[in-house]
Amino acid sequence: GYVEPYRGAITEQPLWPRGAQLAFDKESHSSTVVVIELGANDALEDEPADLFEHRLRSVINTIRAEGRIPVVTSVPAIPDVGGWFSGRVQERLDQINATTIAVARQMGVANARWDTVPFAGVADTIDTVHRTQASSALLAARLAETIAAILPHCQ
C-alpha cells in the first residue's frame, strides 16, 4: 500500500484517485490470478534490495495463502531520456529484475519476463516513458501467454 505518492511525484495531477491504500494483505481480492506488475516506480523508490526481496516474497506468500495464483512481470525496458532512468536508477531496475527472476524461480512463480519483450526505445513510447498502444499490446500478449501456460482453460 501507499500513504502518499513517491518522493518527487507530481501531486497536482490525479495520479492517486483512490487516495491512501491499505497494505496488500489488508485489501480484499477476488481473482484467481494476481499479477505483480513491477515498473519504474519500484526503482525510483530506491529501497534496499533485501527489503524489496522480502516484500516480494511476502506478497507472493499472501497471494498463495488466499488460494490465488501469483504471476510476476519483471520490469520492461525503459529508455533513459532526461536522466531519469540512468545511473543508480538503471542499476536498481536491473537489480529488481534479477531479484524478481530469482525469487520467481525459487518459489515456482510464473514470470512474464517483460524485460525480454522487444522494445525499440523512445520510438515505442508516447512520452519517452509510457509505451504506445502497440508496444503495450506486446506486454499484454506476453502476460496472457504466461497465464495461459499455467491455466490452460483461460485461453
Side-chain angles (χ1 to χ4, degrees):
Y2 59 82
V3 179
E4 60 188 48
Y6 65 87
R7 188 175 1 108
I10 301 169
T11 57
E12 295 79 36
Q13 296 178 1
L15 298 174
W16 316 99
R18 289 182 58 200
Q21 292 184 16
L22 298 173
F24 183 83
D25 63 347
K26 305 297 185 219
E27 292 275 353
S28 63
H29 308 101
S30 60
S31 61
T32 300
V33 174
V34 178
V35 178
I36 304 168
E37 179 185 351
L38 302 164
N41 290 344
D42 295 296
L44 294 173
E45 288 294 325
D46 199 33
E47 71 183 355
D50 59 336
L51 181 58
F52 173 81
E53 180 175 346
H54 170 76
R55 288 181 176 172
L56 180 58
R57 288 178 183 277
S58 177
V59 168
I60 290 168
N61 287 331
T62 298
I63 292 166
R64 286 182 166 161
E66 293 177 347
R68 302 180 201 301
I69 301 167
V71 174
V72 296
T73 63
S74 301
V75 182
I78 301 170
D80 177 32
V81 176
W84 273 86
F85 301 104
S86 63
R88 178 69 186 119
V89 175
Q90 185 58 54
E91 290 172 14
R92 179 83 178 111
L93 289 169
D94 294 342
Q95 183 180 60
I96 287 169
N97 277 338
T99 299
T100 301
I101 292 163
V103 168
R105 187 174 296 122
Q106 292 163 5
M107 296 184 76
V109 174
N111 185 350
R113 290 298 308 269
W114 280 0
D115 57 310
T116 64
V117 172
F119 181 61
V122 174
D124 277 347
T125 71
I126 58 172
D127 59 4
T128 72
V129 175
H130 300 95
R131 293 191 178 223
T132 62
Q133 187 60 52
S135 186
S136 293
L138 293 175
L139 298 176
R142 175 68 66 83
L143 181 59
E145 291 167 8
T146 303
I147 293 170
I150 58 174
L151 294 174
H153 66 279
C154 289
Q155 294 185 16

